Amino acid sequence: MDWRIVIWCILMFCSQAASGASQERPNFLIFIADDMAWDDCGAYGNTSIRTPNIDGLAAEGLRFDRAYLTCSSCSPSRCSILTGRYPHATEAGELHLPLPATQTLFTQPLRNAGYWTAAVGKWHLGEQVAGQVDKRLDSPPEKMGQAWRQTLQERPRDRPFMMWAAHSDPHRPYAPGAVDVPHAAASVRVPKFLPDTPEVREDLALYYDEISRFDAHIGMALDELRLQQVLDNTLVIVISDNGRPFPQCKTRVHVPGVRTPFVVRWPKRVSAGSVSQSVVSSLDIAPTVLELAGVPKLASLQGVSFAPILSDPKATVREFAFAEHNWHDYRAFERGVHTSKICYVKNWLPNTPGTPPADAVKSPTFAALLKLDKLGQLTNAQRECLVAPRPSEFLFDVEMDPDCLHNLVEDAKHADSLNTLRLALESWQAETNDRFPGEDKLTPDGFDRHTGNRLIKAAHPALVKP
């Protein structure tokens, strides 16, 4: 017997078995935008923005219309998604705080199960958990698509993969030139809580440009998977980490802050053109991915799998989605509860204005707000982020009022909903060990609320070296 032939046969069998296993188990590709609003793409109704790839994924897959983030703040939201835990439970619930090594990303059990994992683009989780992915690669925004494509080209082909494709678009600051054909200011859709001025329109047009660049880079990655003939065995998700970086959006826990675009394509289970009104949370991505990969659920996960909705868009996996606002440039403590129809917000700092992030304070839009406010030309909804005191509670009918302009807390017709959501919030806080520590125990402002200028040396007060 020629043992060389025997060994060759064994090696070929093992190779084919590994290849077969990788084909049976789905790959995962998660595209995450940086500061993109839920309705700022064609798939969600804003046809003024050129997003053919996101729109195509929605046409070929499932569009969630009631998907919510756990936080409208960059790093806490990303830490929450990748750990499957609420921001306050990750020990990194405030902007720029690094995720401790004691926290487990869902990439780790995937790696243990044979998956190859990569994080390409914006990281923003800190260095203590960087070893929980096989490859980590940064990239400037203009070259992000090439970085995604190159990573997919260089991946090991005998193993299933999970890639976290994290863009830095459409984060501020903005400059012309993100796309070859810029969006016209005249064509933008100005939310009712912002003044319709030339400055605001120009600001939004540049924001649109970066969303379009994000979309183009998605297309580059999808084209590569088509060439490799693995796209249909890859569950693709498109989400954002928080709302648009404009006043009354990013850092808030109502709809403009935490509702996210959430598109899933996976032909093996998802019917083309599906739409779901079922409530899901970004917290649910981790348990869903692990379930579909055939990996046991981590005990640390606080979300639930939305896998049943993939084959039945009318299925429900949760009644409430919870969101939190902790320090993001400024002192804050707010919590939000979302159902498919109602949004409830509790604000523990009613004497503090709802100042947007420092980069938004420095924006042309905020300057326009301040100018028009002095002239008495703003609506009450447009002034909301400038004034104090503010209500300690908000209630919004998100079917009739998705921009959350009309507070219904005092409306007797909604008393039952108000009491239900108050109780839901109290129960959730007790279950997850979330409590208001007192205003004097909160992290103080790190930036000036009128100018956006830095007041501290570090990105976060806790990171200031003595």
Side-chain angles (χ1 to χ4, degrees):
M1 179 181 294
D2 190 335
W3 288 103
R4 290 174 298 180
I5 295 177
V6 173
I7 293 172
W8 180 85
C9 290
I10 293 173
L11 290 173
M12 285 297 295
F13 174 79
C14 292
S15 175
Q16 291 173 2
S19 177
S22 69
Q23 290 302 311
E24 291 172 3
R25 292 189 289 174
N27 306 306
F28 301 96
L29 178 55
I30 301 175
F31 296 107
I32 179 166
D34 196 358
D35 297 4
M36 175 181 169
W38 72 276
D39 55 348
D40 280 340
C41 62
Y44 284 90
N46 192 343
T47 56
S48 296
I49 307 180
R50 298 188 299 274
T51 53
N53 293 293
I54 297 174
D55 302 348
L57 289 169
E60 297 174 358
L62 171 61
R63 187 191 79 205
F64 285 89
D65 285 356
R66 294 293 187 271
Y68 295 94
L69 300 158
T70 59
C71 189
S72 188
S73 179
C74 305
S75 61
S77 179
R78 292 161 187 258
C79 289
S80 177
I81 295 169
L82 283 167
T83 60
R85 295 175 61 75
Y86 288 105
H88 68 269
T90 66
E91 302 178 58
E94 299 184 353
L95 182 67
H96 300 311
L97 289 182
L99 194 63
T102 53
Q103 299 292 321
T104 303
L105 309 184
F106 72 80
T107 54
Q108 189 58 48
L110 287 176
R111 294 174 71 202
N112 295 340
Y115 273 77
W116 182 79
T117 62
V120 184
K122 183 173 181 176
W123 180 243
H124 215 182
L125 277 72
E127 296 303 312
Q128 297 183 51
V129 294
Q132 295 187 37
V133 292
D134 295 294
K135 179 175 182 175
R136 202 183 99 196
L137 178 67
D138 295 327
S139 174
E142 64 273 11
K143 297 182 179 180
M144 195 70 73
Q146 293 93 321
W148 290 347
R149 181 171 59 191
Q150 180 180 345
T151 300
L152 291 170
Q153 290 171 343
E154 296 175 352
R155 68 180 179 87
R157 302 298 176 91
D158 60 343
R159 299 163 61 189
F161 70 87
M162 198 297 289
M163 189 169 95
W164 174 256
H167 219 295
S168 48
D169 285 344
H171 196 287
R172 293 183 185 275
Y174 299 139
V179 291
D180 290 337
V181 180
H183 290 79
S187 68
V188 306
R189 189 173 67 181
V190 181
K192 292 180 180 179
F193 49 78
L194 297 177
D196 191 345
T197 69
E199 302 95 327
V200 174
R201 284 185 167 272
E202 291 288 349
D203 207 12
L204 284 166
L206 293 173
Y207 159 76
Y208 281 18
D209 288 351
E210 292 204 358
I211 292 175
S212 191
R213 181 167 63 181
F214 168 61
D215 181 87
H217 291 172
I218 288 175
M220 295 172 67
L222 297 179
D223 286 346
E224 178 59 34
L225 293 184
R226 288 190 185 97
L227 286 174
Q228 297 180 21
Q229 298 184 348
V230 296
L231 178 59
D232 285 352
N233 192 42
T234 301
L235 187 145
V236 179
I237 299 177
V238 179
I239 55 172
S240 180
D241 62 351
N242 47 247
R244 66 175 72 86
F246 284 76
Q248 304 191 56
C249 300
K250 183 177 178 179
T251 69
R252 304 296 290 273
V253 295
H254 61 350
V255 169
V258 296
R259 188 182 289 180
T260 178
F262 201 104
V263 174
V264 179
R265 181 192 187 274
W266 190 35
K268 291 196 172 183
R269 186 175 298 188
V270 176
S271 298
S274 301
V275 178
S276 178
Q277 302 298 325
S278 300
V279 175
V280 293
S281 168
S282 58
L283 201 72
D284 302 333
I285 292 175
T288 303
V289 167
L290 294 182
E291 177 183 332
L292 297 178
V295 177
K297 180 179 177 179
L298 290 169
S300 58
L301 297 182
Q302 295 176 311
V304 295
S305 172
F306 59 77
I309 302 176
L310 298 180
S311 53
D312 178 9
K314 293 184 179 181
T316 58
V317 297
R318 60 163 64 242
E319 182 178 3
F320 305 111
F322 300 92
E324 56 190 86
H325 175 199
N326 307 308
W327 188 92
H328 182 122
D329 298 339
Y330 304 106
R331 185 195 309 264
F333 198 93
E334 289 181 311
R335 298 295 183 258
V337 187
H338 295 265
T339 73
S340 61
K341 298 180 180 181
I342 301 290
C343 164
Y344 169 72
V345 175
K346 184 170 182 179
N347 169 30
W348 275 261
L349 302 179
N351 294 318
T352 302
T355 310
D359 59 353
V361 170
K362 286 179 169 290
S363 71
T365 294
F366 195 76
L369 280 174
L370 294 178
K371 178 181 177 181
L372 293 174
D373 187 47
K374 289 182 179 180
L375 298 174
Q377 296 179 2
L378 294 179
T379 66
N380 288 336
Q382 293 164 355
R383 295 192 71 239
E384 200 274 343
C385 66
L386 304 176
V387 300
R390 300 167 60 228
S392 59
E393 289 183 297
F394 299 84
L395 191 73
F396 303 106
D397 178 342
V398 299
E399 289 187 308
M400 301 298 295
D401 180 26
D403 284 337
C404 298
L405 304 177
H406 307 291
N407 188 3
L408 303 173
V409 164
E410 303 297 333
D411 190 333
K413 295 179 182 178
H414 296 275
D416 289 343
S417 293
L418 179 61
N419 290 330
T420 297
L421 295 179
R422 280 173 174 164
L423 292 173
L425 178 61
E426 291 176 4
S427 177
W428 171 77
Q429 287 192 286
E431 291 173 2
T432 64
N433 195 29
D434 176 51
R435 58 177 60 89
F436 177 57
E439 186 170 351
D440 61 328
K441 300 291 180 60
L442 295 175
T443 304
D445 290 358
F447 295 79
D448 184 274
R449 287 182 179 263
H450 298 285
T451 66
N453 293 332
R454 189 182 294 273
L455 300 176
I456 56 174
K457 294 181 179 180
H460 186 283
L463 303 179
V464 177
K465 296 182 180 180

